[in-house]
Amino acid sequence: MNVRVEEIDARTASDEVLVRFAEVEHDCRHENAPGEPMRTTAEVIAYYRHKPTSYTSCHWLAAGGAAELNVHGPTAAFVDLKVRPSARRQGVGADLLACVLERAQELDVRALHAHHTTPAGAAFARRFGFVDGQRVVRALLDLRGVDLPPPEPPAGWALRTWRRRVPDVHLAAYVTARAAMDDAPAPDEMEFPTWTATTVRTSEESLALRDREMRLTVAMRDDGVIGAFTELRVSRGSILGFTDDTGTVAEHRRQGLARAVKLESLRRLQRDHPQIEVVSTSNAEENTAMRRVNDQVGFKPSLVETTATRSLSVP
């Protein structure tokens, strides 16, 4: 069965068109994000319309389904494909994926990654040549119900939080610290481009356009060196806080810096945004150090996603 698939320019599409992405997301929410507050329609529209310009994003809609392709590099390309339960087993997913694969080839993608959380999703991935790899554990924190102790950074380190924008004077130090993510657990065939000052500013601009507050907490020495960082994001009117990256520079590990920045970040979030009920975070299953920190803070596992990868290097 052939399904009509329409490519969408999300930056210029009308609200009426982008609402269709939200409708698909909302119908699949129970599978992809159990226990998490649902993103509002306005949040979804802003997410698609104001993606960062530092990577390539493509989007498609079909009756009952949607797909997006985000390409950060030849081996750091990701497809997010969703089909509403009522529209499954009708060829919608297959036709959407065909469009994604064609565009990925045009963009010289060598490894395409996806995530699945259900047996049906796993079967679909296998059917189209994706091979299971890394497992990612998503965890949730009941921010209203948790009693967070004051952070205790080691001597010589101070905790600072910046909202919306990294100060110019500390931008270079932050970019250097972000390289800590380069050795975070990841599939062997996945390699992200290293972040630069431009990447940071592009991300900040995108979040501002989405009316989404960036909250970056760092552990900083007197000489300006950043040893650890964690970033939270909150959309206006939302009751969900989202943890982006958390990292500790290799030479400063095993001092408690990650726990300190996590606690400081979450305590400030409680104070500044008392309406936030839940905070989410995700970590590779093998990243036991960071998962231990999250457990100590009070996060509870809610879902396991499996990363599945299809090689496109051979036609």
Side-chain angles (χ1 to χ4, degrees), residues 103-124:
R103 181 58 50 79
Q105 293 275 15
E106 293 172 357
L107 295 172
D108 296 323
V109 170
R110 298 199 304 271
L112 180 63
H113 310 282
H115 297 92
H116 59 75
T117 61
T118 65
F124 181 87

Side-chain angles (χ1 to χ4, degrees), residues 37 43 141-146 212-213 215 232-242 265-266 268-280:
E43 283 183 90
L141 177 69
D142 175 5
L143 194 63
R144 287 184 166 179
V146 68
R212 193 160 167 81
E213 184 182 67
R215 304 173 58 88
L232 282 173
R233 297 176 178 181
V234 179
S235 293
R236 184 185 298 274
S238 178
I239 59 173
L240 173 68
F242 170 79
S265 176
L266 292 166
R268 283 181 173 269
L269 183 63
Q270 282 180 321
R271 184 194 68 192
D272 296 344
H273 292 283
Q275 81 280 6
I276 298 296
E277 299 179 4
V278 177
V279 177
S280 69

Side-chain angles (χ1 to χ4, degrees), residues 37-301:
M38 187 166 60
R39 286 200 298 186
T40 66
T41 297
E43 283 183 90
V44 177
I45 289 173
Y47 165 77
Y48 282 99
R49 181 170 288 153
H50 300 299
K51 291 284 193 71
T53 57
S54 55
Y55 58 87
T56 300
S57 297
C58 307
H59 309 86
W60 294 267
L61 281 170
E68 65 174 304
L69 171 66
N70 297 309
V71 180
H72 301 263
T75 62
F78 302 85
V79 54
D80 184 8
L81 192 156
K82 297 182 178 73
V83 178
R84 303 170 85 161
S86 61
R88 292 173 184 171
R89 300 186 182 281
Q90 299 175 42
V92 176
D95 285 359
L96 282 167
L97 182 59
C99 293
V100 171
L101 290 172
E102 180 179 5
R103 181 58 50 79
Q105 293 275 15
E106 293 172 357
L107 295 172
D108 296 323
V109 170
R110 298 199 304 271
L112 180 63
H113 310 282
H115 297 92
H116 59 75
T117 61
T118 65
F124 181 87
R126 286 195 301 271
R127 175 185 168 195
F128 289 98
F130 287 80
V131 178
D132 285 355
Q134 185 182 70
R135 285 159 53 94
V136 177
V137 179
R138 185 176 300 170
L140 304 178
L141 177 69
D142 175 5
L143 194 63
R144 287 184 166 179
V146 68
D147 183 15
L148 297 167
E152 298 180 353
W157 295 92
L159 303 177
R160 298 186 181 183
T161 295
W162 302 312
R163 294 189 295 174
R164 299 184 178 87
R165 183 179 173 88
V166 179
D168 289 342
V169 68
H170 298 302
L171 181 58
Y174 176 55
V175 170
T176 299
R178 273 206 63 96
M181 300 303 300
D182 292 347
D183 64 359
D188 292 339
E189 59 282 328
M190 185 188 298
E191 183 176 353
F192 271 93
T194 299
W195 274 51
T196 65
T198 299
T199 314
V200 174
R201 292 302 188 222
T202 300
S203 175
E204 293 169 344
E205 291 165 5
S206 170
L207 293 171
L209 289 169
R210 292 164 56 189
D211 204 6
R212 193 160 167 81
E213 184 182 67
M214 183 276 286
R215 304 173 58 88
L216 180 67
T217 299
V218 303
M220 181 179 290
R221 276 192 331 213
D222 291 342
D223 60 2
V225 168
I226 294 175
F229 65 90
T230 188
E231 182 181 336
L232 282 173
R233 297 176 178 181
V234 179
S235 293
R236 184 185 298 274
S238 178
I239 59 173
L240 173 68
F242 170 79
T243 307
D244 192 60
D245 290 329
T246 300
T248 303
V249 177
E251 64 189 272
H252 303 304
R253 290 173 185 166
R254 297 179 179 85
Q255 300 183 55
L257 292 180
R259 175 180 167 83
V261 294
K262 278 268 189 180
L263 285 172
E264 176 73 2
S265 176
L266 292 166
R267 282 168 60 90
R268 283 181 173 269
L269 183 63
Q270 282 180 321
R271 184 194 68 192
D272 296 344
H273 292 283
Q275 81 280 6
I276 298 296
E277 299 179 4
V278 177
V279 177
S280 69
T281 190
S282 297
N283 300 101
E285 191 173 50
E286 66 266 34
N287 191 351
T288 55
M290 188 55 65
R291 289 180 58 207
R292 186 181 306 112
V293 169
N294 289 330
D295 290 345
Q296 293 170 351
V297 169
F299 283 88
K300 305 295 183 186

